[in-house]
Amino acid sequence: MSQTRQLAAIMFTDIVGYTALMGNDEQKAFTILKKNRELQKPIIEQFNGRWIKELGDGVLASFHSVSDAVTTAIKIQDACHVAKDFQLRIGIHLGEVVFENDDVFGDGVNIAARIQAAAPPGGILISETVQKIIANKKDLQTKFVREEALKNVKENVRLYEVITNSIPESGPSFQKDKNNAQTIPEKSIAVVPFTNMSNDPEQEYFSDGMTEEIINSLVHIQNLKVAGRMSSFRFKGSSADLREVGERLGVATVLEGSIRKQGNRLRVTAQLINVQDGFHLWSEKYDRAMDDIFAIQDEIAFAITEKLKITLFESEREHINKTPTNNKEAYELYLKGRFYLNRRGNDISKGLKYFEQSIALDVEFALAQTGYADACLLAGFWGLLASKEVMPKAKAAIEAAMRLDPLLSDPYASLGYYHASFSWNWEEAKKNYQHAIALNPNNPQTHFWYAMYLAWVEQSYDEAIWHTSAAIRLEPLSSVAYSMNAVVLFAAGKFEESFNAAKMGFELDPMSYQANRLLGNTLVVMKRYPEAIESLQRALEISNRFQWSVTDLIWAYADTGNLEEAKILMAELDERAKTEYVAHGYRGLAAAWMGDMDLAMKYLEIAYQNRDPIVMCINIPYTPHSLKQDIRFQELLKKIGLPE
């Protein structure tokens, strides 16, 4: 038995969505497998590669040259894109491996396989080891994507995407729409908000909440693309044609329904509809007691997987079947908490109170604990409550949620947010964000939060932009997604791109505080002052004179030299600080924009002592240069631990 150990570039390829196709149409699956073999083999041989073996629908190949491996991957993806029969994921790693007869083994093989699994449909991911070798080759372009903890790999691996002429499509699919404009996954769904049929409009929280919980059940199913909550809720109360819903959200089916809640009785109707022809794939009516709410949600989720012919893993089945609480009053209060928390602004405080009441009824309710933690953290970040007041409450709730449900991703994301914004433990922040994404890569909020950390703390702008772009793919119609993308682009100094992202957020929701704020900020940097002040004044009005909006306007006026208007706004903040909490971090930046470095440092020192979350983002490109040059500011950065 001959055995040789050597350094080799290992390439793994895998057909997107093949397992699901095999369960639905075995003959078609075998046809695609044959086409895949016929497409790849000659290209691998053309570039001096060694076809090792097929692993189901995957192909393992090795190369003596990293350049040959990457070029082969590009040629394969280009050919696959032209053929339009299927999509591939490709991963490449360089490492020491053992060749034994006609097979290959070792960590290099395992890492390449994990990288392939992390690649987007139609895309090529490579390890940093590979990227460093091809970095100087002009014909091979790459971009940094993220650092990821790969399963059974001891250390995190920095991943890069290879730029190709092919345009990766989103998600597994073998179905095209009639115009062939985009690939619509057969197993894809949007859950549009169920209609509240109760006489009481105050019951809106219940219909919205049940819709959200159905989405949360479905989003954990590996072989199902689920449109995000924020995008699906764009169609609340809309008379939009189902075909339009499908095209805009990139889904083949839509679940819609209605809920009537009266006392302890529920009437729920639901129907699953094929977008292309309007055919009802399934419909059901439930007349049940409130005690059966979770059973109804489970039955709807299982009916969808059955009609779309999705094979469930045992863990997915367990997730759907899991009853979050046995106390229906606690569940209703939790739904109210989520309803108000999702509205942000001053409604965060309302949500917090409902979560408190829910936990009082069932302290073992993990979702209520993580909802309460999020409400505390957001109240602290948005300046509704002082950081030192919310920190111990949030931490205790996060730890309770983790203990109650270790597989729930939300508390890990919350803990990442806690460490990034309040405790300033950057290592723990990053570790928990990455763990949350590993548990549930389809949660856009986790991508938002992690992107903020990457941009503001590490200044890893390419990776941060990747995460906000991932959130946009999950939420294509979300104003928030585009606004967060604008935040990261702004921090990176990409002001034109930030403006375009903010403009898209504004077009999706003209009443979005964040979109108007980001539009104004980018326009200030671009010296388009009249438009900037108009956008910032609109944000001020929308937010009911939120303190951040006041400081944004101070910046705009100071930049134009209109210090009188800036002083009036500073006086407003000073007066409000006598009766309400006003974050010192933004007041410090406002003073710096006005040229008063002594006052700026006074406020920033207080912000540091108070654990003001704004401190995490004080060292970004638009921070006044005169402040950055101040020795006291540099000393403050050292104390916080931010990069100089």
Side-chain angles (χ1 to χ4, degrees):
M1 189 176 289
S2 63
Q3 210 180 70
T4 59
R5 184 180 295 274
Q6 65 186 68
L7 196 66
I10 302 296
M11 181 182 78
F12 255 104
T13 76
D14 181 74
I15 301 174
V16 177
Y18 184 81
T19 304
L21 179 67
M22 192 71 176
N24 295 331
D25 190 337
E26 191 175 279
Q27 188 55 50
K28 187 174 181 181
F30 282 125
T31 300
I32 284 175
L33 198 62
K34 182 183 177 186
K35 286 182 178 180
N36 179 49
R37 188 181 303 126
E38 292 171 347
L39 183 148
Q40 288 197 51
K41 201 160 192 177
I43 299 175
I44 291 171
E45 292 171 354
Q46 178 187 350
F47 291 95
N48 308 308
R50 179 179 173 185
W51 175 287
I52 304 292
K53 62 182 175 180
E54 289 179 86
L55 297 161
D57 61 305
V59 172
L60 169 61
S62 72
F63 297 81
H64 293 297
S65 160
V66 165
S67 298
D68 282 345
V70 175
T71 302
T72 299
I74 293 171
K75 296 295 183 185
I76 287 172
Q77 288 292 31
D78 287 347
C80 191
H81 183 67
V82 170
K84 293 186 167 120
D85 291 318
F86 52 87
Q87 288 181 289
L88 295 172
R89 289 186 176 92
I90 301 181
I92 303 174
H93 178 62
L94 176 70
E96 190 174 67
V97 295
V98 175
F99 285 94
E100 185 176 280
N101 295 334
D102 294 324
D103 213 341
V104 61
F105 307 93
D107 285 344
V109 177
N110 298 333
I111 293 172
R114 299 300 181 195
I115 292 172
Q116 169 268 308
I124 305 165
L125 281 190
I126 60 176
S127 64
E128 188 170 54
T129 312
V130 173
Q131 191 273 338
K132 284 180 178 178
I133 294 174
I134 65 170
N136 294 325
K137 299 188 180 297
K138 293 181 180 178
D139 56 332
L140 298 176
Q141 296 184 323
T142 64
K143 67 176 180 180
F144 177 70
V145 174
R146 62 191 180 277
E147 185 175 303
E148 186 156 317
L150 301 176
K151 188 176 179 182
N152 296 330
V153 178
K154 289 181 180 178
E155 296 182 356
N156 290 357
V157 177
R158 289 173 64 83
L159 301 177
Y160 291 76
E161 186 170 4
V162 178
I163 309 300
T164 71
N165 293 324
S166 303
I167 304 170
E169 318 252 17
S170 59
S173 174
F174 298 95
Q175 170 189 321
K176 307 283 183 181
D177 70 7
K178 289 185 178 178
N179 298 319
N180 211 31
Q182 65 170 323
T183 303
I184 306 291
E186 289 180 59
K187 293 174 176 38
S188 56
I189 188 170
V191 183
V192 296
F194 278 38
T195 303
N196 172 28
M197 300 296 288
S198 305
N199 295 327
D200 183 4
E202 290 294 317
Q203 294 295 328
E204 197 77 10
Y205 77 89
F206 194 84
S207 54
D208 281 6
M210 185 161 174
T211 304
E212 189 169 355
E213 292 306 302
I214 293 171
I215 292 173
N216 289 339
S217 290
L218 297 175
V219 81
H220 289 86
I221 299 173
Q222 183 176 324
N223 293 319
L224 179 65
K225 176 190 173 184
V226 183
R229 176 200 173 276
M230 287 180 281
S231 295
S232 293
F233 271 62
R234 292 274 304 166
F235 294 96
K236 181 174 179 177
S238 168
S239 58
D241 181 81
L242 285 180
R243 191 184 298 270
E244 180 191 349
V245 176
E247 287 177 356
R248 295 189 69 186
L249 296 179
V251 295
T253 61
V254 170
L255 181 75
E256 62 178 14
S258 64
I259 298 177
R260 184 186 298 275
K261 179 178 177 292
Q262 290 183 318
N264 193 44
R265 299 298 303 176
L266 282 177
R267 169 170 289 183
V268 180
T269 64
Q271 45 269 343
L272 181 65
I273 303 166
N274 185 294
V275 166
Q276 288 298 316
D277 55 18
F279 180 74
H280 280 57
L281 300 172
W282 168 84
S283 64
E284 190 61 78
K285 181 185 289 184
Y286 304 90
D287 280 301
R288 305 273 186 88
M290 257 296 292
D291 293 341
D292 289 331
I293 180 64
F294 301 122
I296 296 171
Q297 292 174 8
D298 293 351
E299 288 176 36
I300 291 172
F302 284 126
I304 290 166
T305 60
E306 181 182 338
K307 293 303 173 183
L308 297 185
K309 295 183 172 60
I310 294 169
T311 302
L312 291 173
F313 293 104
E314 188 57 36
S315 60
E316 294 168 342
R317 190 174 293 278
E318 287 176 6
H319 183 89
I320 293 173
N321 273 325
K322 193 166 190 175
T323 301
T325 177
N326 292 317
N327 189 312
K328 66 176 186 290
E329 290 180 58
Y331 184 67
E332 280 201 68
L333 289 164
Y334 162 74
L335 293 183
K336 286 182 179 179
R338 276 289 167 204
F339 179 76
Y340 286 107
L341 186 61
N342 287 334
R343 289 167 61 166
R344 296 295 196 262
N346 289 324
D347 282 334
I348 291 171
S349 300
K350 276 188 182 179
L352 195 150
K353 289 176 183 176
Y354 282 119
F355 288 130
E356 278 182 333
Q357 294 171 31
S358 177
I359 293 169
L361 292 175
D362 183 0
V363 73
E364 302 287 297
F365 188 4
L367 289 175
Q369 292 280 7
T370 195
Y372 177 71
D374 285 353
C376 286
L377 294 171
L378 288 168
F381 191 87
W382 288 90
L384 300 174
L385 295 171
S387 298
K388 289 187 176 180
E389 180 182 346
V390 301
M391 285 175 68
K393 296 175 182 177
K395 187 76 181 299
I398 290 167
E399 289 172 348
M402 287 178 170
R403 174 180 56 80
L404 293 166
D405 190 349
L407 295 180
L408 190 63
S409 70
D410 302 63
Y412 290 97
S414 302
L415 189 56
Y417 194 82
Y418 170 88
H419 284 304
S421 300
F422 299 95
S423 79
W424 306 332
N425 185 331
W426 317 124
E427 185 178 342
E428 284 298 310
K430 186 169 188 174
K431 181 179 78 175
N432 281 284
Y433 278 137
Q434 289 180 339
H435 189 62
I437 290 171
L439 286 173
N440 181 10
N442 297 319
N443 187 334
Q445 179 170 278
T446 307
H447 287 288
F448 297 156
W449 286 357
Y450 188 33
M452 298 305 105
Y453 161 81
L454 290 168
W456 289 339
V457 176
E458 289 193 2
Q459 299 183 352
S460 301
Y461 298 123
D462 287 346
E463 190 176 359
I465 291 166
W466 186 93
H467 280 283
T468 53
S469 298
I472 289 172
R473 288 195 293 273
L474 292 166
E475 292 281 15
L477 298 183
S478 165
S479 174
V480 175
Y482 282 97
S483 297
M484 293 300 100
N485 188 228
V487 169
V488 168
L489 290 164
F490 189 84
K494 298 176 182 287
F495 300 121
E496 284 283 352
E497 293 176 53
S498 178
F499 172 78
N500 291 332
K503 187 177 179 184
M504 179 65 77
F506 174 78
E507 288 172 356
L508 285 167
D509 182 6
M511 295 302 291
S512 164
Y513 161 70
Q514 278 283 42
N516 280 284
R517 177 175 185 253
L518 264 296
L519 267 180
N521 287 343
T522 51
L523 287 165
V524 169
V525 174
M526 295 158 73
K527 308 298 182 186
R528 293 162 59 177
Y529 295 117
E531 297 168 84
I533 290 171
E534 181 183 347
S535 291
L536 293 175
Q537 286 178 334
R538 192 162 53 239
L540 190 68
E541 183 180 347
I542 290 168
S543 65
N544 194 25
R545 301 193 74 81
F546 183 46
Q547 55 184 279
W548 287 15
S549 290
V550 176
T551 55
D552 286 334
L553 263 177
I554 290 171
W555 174 30
Y557 284 129
D559 218 48
T560 64
N562 189 346
L563 292 180
E564 287 307 310
E565 286 290 344
K567 287 177 181 177
I568 291 170
L569 291 171
M570 279 293 281
E572 177 187 332
L573 290 178
D574 291 339
E575 188 62 29
R576 287 170 59 177
K578 296 175 182 177
T579 56
E580 63 182 271
Y581 176 73
V582 177
H584 289 85
Y586 265 100
R587 294 170 79 186
L589 286 175
W593 287 321
M594 294 174 66
D596 190 339
M597 296 307 139
D598 289 339
L599 183 60
M601 286 311 305
K602 173 188 171 183
Y603 282 138
L604 289 176
E605 281 290 347
I606 297 172
Y608 168 73
Q609 296 297 331
N610 289 348
R611 291 280 160 175
D612 186 336
I614 306 308
V615 168
M616 73 179 286
C617 61
I618 61 173
N619 191 32
I620 50 181
Y622 71 95
T623 300
H625 184 70
S626 52
L627 179 62
K628 286 190 172 187
Q629 295 302 305
D630 194 302
I631 189 67
R632 295 169 295 179
F633 182 78
Q634 294 168 16
E635 289 298 320
L636 180 64
L637 291 183
K638 288 178 183 177
K639 286 196 292 185
I640 299 165
L642 284 170
E644 293 184 19

